[in-house]
Amino acid sequence: MSGPHDLFARYTFGHPERAAAELRAVLPAHIVSEVDWASLRREPVSVVDPELRETESDLLFTARLRTGQPLLLYVLLEHQSSVDSWMALRMLRYVVRQVERWRQEHPRSTRLPVIIPLVMYHGADGVWTAPRRVEDLFELPDGEEARAQWRALVPRFEYLLDDLTAEREVALRARSGPPLARLAWLVLRYGRTGELARKLPEWVALFAQVYADTGGAEHLVVVIRYLLWVGKDAAVHAAAKRVLNSVLDEQRAEELMGSWAEEMIERGVQKGLVRGRQEGRAEGLQQGLSEAILRILTARGVSVEEGARQRILTCTDMATLDRWFDRALNATTLSDVLDERAQ
């Protein structure tokens, strides 16, 4: 199942115009000038290994150079916390898969298209430190001259890297592109840091630009939902709600937040029902209902301290969970839900 990082990144950069903004920001200037960006198209194919689907996703685009030659641009969206030291080998494997697919689809072609691989990283544990070249993964004999001779015999391959965690905010703001792409770079950069709640109010103007753009209402919903998914504390949710109220009128903001809460309720309950059926016991439904209660409270801006959170998550009495669930729908404080005197 796709996670929030995967969904947000693919929604944002799966669109050719926004993908072009990302690629233009990273590719060397001479390559940018040679690409016919109007020809950029997304291909409906993925080569990411299934076991890695929760930590990354990929996008493949085709384009043409101004000379007419075909070009493939392979983008891996990396969002796992720890840096993968074997990324160069994985990227080489993914590119080879693309080459094999190309040969199957173009059996008469005597040449391969250029494939440019790019990793966009926004992990939570600091900057990217893994080697970007496959040749750096081989253990070569000591000595500068010997290493140079041996290096010429091993596979050579290098991927481009857009390490958002290493970029300063001013640099990301200076990038050109559609409003959603510019906001997404910032959100991905700070989404899992302790700075997010403080940063959000500074981006109100950019949020407004996203809303004013074509399809802006949908874009805004996607961004806010992602922020509510990744925000780990009440401060982030409160800041997101303030930003929303600054961009939209109060009624529209409440409608958006309300629709998100309803969706989280449905996801939580359905997840619990499915788990309960699969496991053949009630724990799945109980956990799903507990998670739905917490999601509703978060969406309504109700702060839940850790003790109360654990009380809700560990509750096994369905009657109590049902009661808390009903109260959460209209709660303004935590006591509205957990206080047994609450009506």
Side-chain angles (χ1 to χ4, degrees):
M1 179 180 294
S2 299
H5 306 299
D6 175 77
L7 292 172
F8 180 61
R10 290 177 70 85
Y11 176 87
T12 302
F13 296 106
H15 187 279
E17 183 183 12
R18 298 189 289 272
E22 166 64 20
L23 292 164
R24 286 172 178 268
V26 183
L27 291 173
H30 70 279
I31 299 296
V32 171
S33 64
E34 293 180 22
V35 176
D36 176 9
W37 293 103
S39 69
L40 189 68
R41 298 289 183 274
R42 177 181 169 183
E43 298 295 320
V45 64
S46 171
V47 296
V48 164
D49 295 323
E51 65 269 21
L52 298 173
R53 179 57 60 188
E54 290 301 317
T55 59
E56 63 187 32
S57 59
D58 58 348
L59 297 166
L60 178 67
F61 296 91
T62 56
R64 290 195 172 276
L65 299 179
R66 298 193 183 280
T67 59
Q69 292 174 265
L71 175 69
L72 274 67
L73 300 124
Y74 179 68
V75 182
L76 189 76
L77 306 164
E78 176 78 3
H79 45 255
Q80 63 184 10
S81 296
S82 57
V83 174
D84 185 354
S85 60
W86 294 103
M87 178 58 76
L89 184 60
R90 292 219 325 263
M91 287 297 286
L92 175 59
R93 185 167 69 245
Y94 295 161
V95 168
V96 169
R97 290 179 187 174
Q98 300 288 8
V99 168
E100 292 173 342
R101 188 179 68 88
W102 172 270
R103 288 191 62 198
Q104 291 175 354
E105 295 177 353
H106 302 81
R108 295 186 178 183
S109 178
T110 59
R111 291 287 189 273
L112 297 172
V114 173
I115 301 181
I116 299 179
L118 165 65
V119 173
M120 185 171 73
Y121 172 67
H122 61 104
D125 290 346
V127 299
W128 189 258
T129 56
R132 290 170 50 191
R133 297 175 176 153
V134 165
E135 53 262 43
D136 291 336
L137 300 178
F138 289 88
E139 185 175 358
L140 304 179
D142 294 332
E144 184 175 345
E145 183 176 351
R147 290 180 66 84
Q149 293 173 340
W150 280 92
R151 187 180 292 269
L153 301 177
V154 301
R156 294 191 174 188
F157 170 85
E158 180 178 0
Y159 60 88
L160 295 173
L161 175 69
D162 188 10
D163 184 358
L164 296 179
T165 66
E167 289 287 344
R168 299 178 60 187
E169 181 179 357
V170 63
L172 293 176
R173 282 179 171 269
R175 289 185 178 186
S176 61
L180 180 58
R182 290 185 283 121
L183 181 58
W185 285 319
L186 294 170
V187 167
L188 291 171
R189 165 66 177 86
Y190 292 100
R192 288 183 283 175
T193 72
E195 301 178 76
L196 182 59
R198 179 175 58 83
K199 290 289 186 181
L200 282 174
E202 301 174 6
W203 305 338
V204 169
L206 190 49
F207 273 92
Q209 292 176 30
V210 169
Y211 183 60
D213 200 13
T214 303
E218 177 182 310
H219 299 338
L220 195 61
V221 168
V222 171
V223 175
I224 292 296
R225 288 181 177 179
Y226 177 70
L227 290 171
L228 295 178
W229 265 113
V230 299
K232 299 298 184 182
D233 54 54
V236 172
H237 297 283
K241 191 170 184 178
R242 287 196 299 271
V243 168
L244 196 59
N245 287 329
S246 298
V247 175
L248 305 175
D249 60 75
E250 185 175 354
Q251 180 179 353
R252 184 71 183 93
E254 288 296 330
E255 289 174 356
L256 188 151
M257 294 293 286
S259 65
W260 180 86
E262 291 171 3
E263 181 178 331
M264 291 306 99
I265 293 167
E266 182 65 20
R267 285 188 184 182
V269 173
Q270 290 300 325
K271 180 180 178 181
L273 288 171
V274 171
R275 187 184 294 117
R277 286 195 296 267
Q278 290 174 338
E279 299 178 358
R281 57 182 184 266
E283 283 87 339
L285 181 56
Q286 292 166 359
Q287 183 174 348
L289 196 53
S290 297
E291 292 173 355
I293 293 168
L294 292 173
R295 291 291 185 186
I296 297 169
L297 292 174
T298 297
R300 294 187 61 79
V302 177
S303 177
V304 181
E305 50 91 21
E306 185 59 27
R309 178 180 296 273
Q310 290 305 315
R311 179 182 173 188
I312 294 171
L313 290 173
T314 57
C315 180
T316 59
D317 182 68
M318 286 300 299
T320 300
L321 288 172
D322 283 336
R323 186 165 60 253
W324 289 348
F325 180 91
D326 292 337
R327 293 173 180 176
L329 296 175
N330 298 301
T332 57
T333 67
L334 186 59
S335 62
D336 291 339
V337 177
L338 301 182
D339 191 341
E340 292 307 317
R341 293 171 297 179
Q343 299 296 319

